[in-house]
Amino acid sequence: ATRTKSADVERADSGIGQMPARKWRNRASETLSSLQAWEAHRPCTDCGERDLPVETDVQNCNQRRADLCEKCRKCRTERKESVLEFVNTEASYGEDLRIIKEEFYLPMQAAGLLSQEQLQGIFSNIQELIDLNENFLEILQEEIDQAFDQGDDDLMTVCIGEIFLEFVNMLPAFQTYCLRQSSSVNMLNALEKEKELLRIFLNVSQNDNTALRRMNLRSFLMAPLQRVTKYPLLLSRIIKATTEYHPDHSSLREAKSRIESHLEHINMKTKQEGNTWTLRSFRQDSKKKREVINIEMRETALKTVGWLREETRFVMEGSLQLAQPPDGQWVKKGSKTLKFQNMQVLLLVNMKRVSESSLESAEPGPVKDAVLVLIRDKNNGKFHLLREPLRLSNCIVSTDPDCDDTFELIEIRREAFVFRDSDRARTHHWFRQIRRYSRELGSWKKRRNALPNIMISTPHTRP
């Protein structure tokens, strides 16, 4: 009774009576209703869309997936399936390489059916491909296992593109094997006709060895060629299901570009050596997936900036509309007064890697340089630069609320450019990416935040 009475006194002394308490309860009730209403129309964690279906307690067992709209949920499922397909097919390819070595190469060597020189001629650099596959597959499997251990059932933290770029030295090894393939098959055909014991061994192996699945040696020797031509298609599937805001999106696109460039180079080399065969065309698959990346345009950009390929990242690329404002008053008049022209734009970043070894988990180092390369559409079968690359260390990137469908890039003491994409969301993405790298460069970057507003809001000509 004493405690109750002193509590009443304290409450009276505090000045909070029944009426204010009732108001606070009403305010709390309104806040709770607002939270419940927001929950009923909560935004999707991937795309930001609202009006998601309300989940029941039974359905809401996985909160991460419950906060996704139906489209993004399906997209995550497709991405997970594509990532697992990439890893599983890499494991199957590794099994075929193991069969080549253990069921053909080693028995033929032990039996003395062929000399070491003849074995080298037929099997080429198969051991190098085996070693690369084992290390590549080990890293891939570790990433998958780690994602599941951390509760990432959708494998959103698995970055196939980053891993592929760390093992980019696989591509020269594939190139060596592919270029020797024609002579290897010719040598095998000639030796099989010449050596009866070799012919008997190959026939018995195909018919009686269950590990071979009734496939002959020639079929297994085609495995590296089939694998290297399948990489672009597998990467395209992952890219299609990966939002461009995902940290692995740009790496996936670069990985796909690297493999396509090597396939094109291999086909060019085979023609120069007089061979009639070529690797399966990958351009048709790319067009179907709307993932065509023009290798020639990238090569033009690389030659222009003079960077090493292994230190260059193609962050973004695509068609943008470009205009050059005549004065500083264009914002007040609106972007409709500007004359835009279509332009191919590539955002390149020069990053020094900490480790050059593909067998170690190398992280990209600091940004050394970043440029924007402006290329005109093809004329007479060639690409032409609009001007020298725009170095972001000397540029200011800014937007204006009155013209949210464009962004401006000002090269200090030189020119100003206005960019836009046909899709407003992609225009904003271009702006964020360019601004991100421009802020990391330049000795005067501390002043950069103040400069855009000053330079846009005032005329370029001063009294």
Side-chain angles (χ1 to χ4, degrees), residues 229-234 236-237 256 260 280-292:
T229 53
K230 196 172 183 181
Y231 279 134
L233 180 59
L234 293 171
S236 293
R237 291 176 181 172
K256 183 170 176 287
E260 287 181 343
R280 178 179 58 86
S281 173
F282 56 87
R283 291 188 179 275
Q284 186 175 2
D285 292 335
S286 299
K287 289 179 180 179
K288 290 180 180 179
K289 299 297 181 180
R290 298 181 181 181
E291 290 292 339
V292 179

Side-chain angles (χ1 to χ4, degrees), residues 104-155:
F104 290 106
Y105 180 88
L106 292 179
M108 291 164 65
Q109 183 184 47
L113 296 178
L114 297 176
S115 65
Q116 191 62 36
E117 183 180 356
Q118 291 169 334
L119 289 171
Q120 181 67 26
I122 294 175
F123 295 97
S124 187
N125 62 329
I126 195 70
Q127 184 60 51
E128 181 183 13
L129 294 176
I130 291 175
D131 295 338
L132 288 169
N133 168 262
E134 289 178 351
N135 288 285
F136 187 39
L137 187 60
E138 181 181 359
I139 298 299
L140 289 172
Q141 196 59 57
E142 286 180 359
E143 289 292 318
I144 297 293
D145 295 341
Q146 183 178 2
F148 282 132
D149 292 342
Q150 294 177 350
D152 179 18
D153 296 334
D154 294 326
L155 304 181

Side-chain angles (χ1 to χ4, degrees), residues 86-102:
F86 188 99
V87 178
N88 292 336
T89 53
E90 186 69 24
S92 299
Y93 160 65
E95 181 65 19
D96 287 343
L97 294 181
R98 187 193 64 79
I99 289 176
I100 293 174
K101 178 182 178 181
E102 296 183 2

Side-chain angles (χ1 to χ4, degrees), residues 178-182 225 266-267 270-271 275-279:
C178 293
L179 293 178
R180 295 177 182 175
Q181 179 64 16
S182 181
L225 280 73
I266 291 172
N267 283 335
T270 55
K271 290 180 180 179
N275 296 323
T276 57
W277 66 272
T278 57
L279 295 176

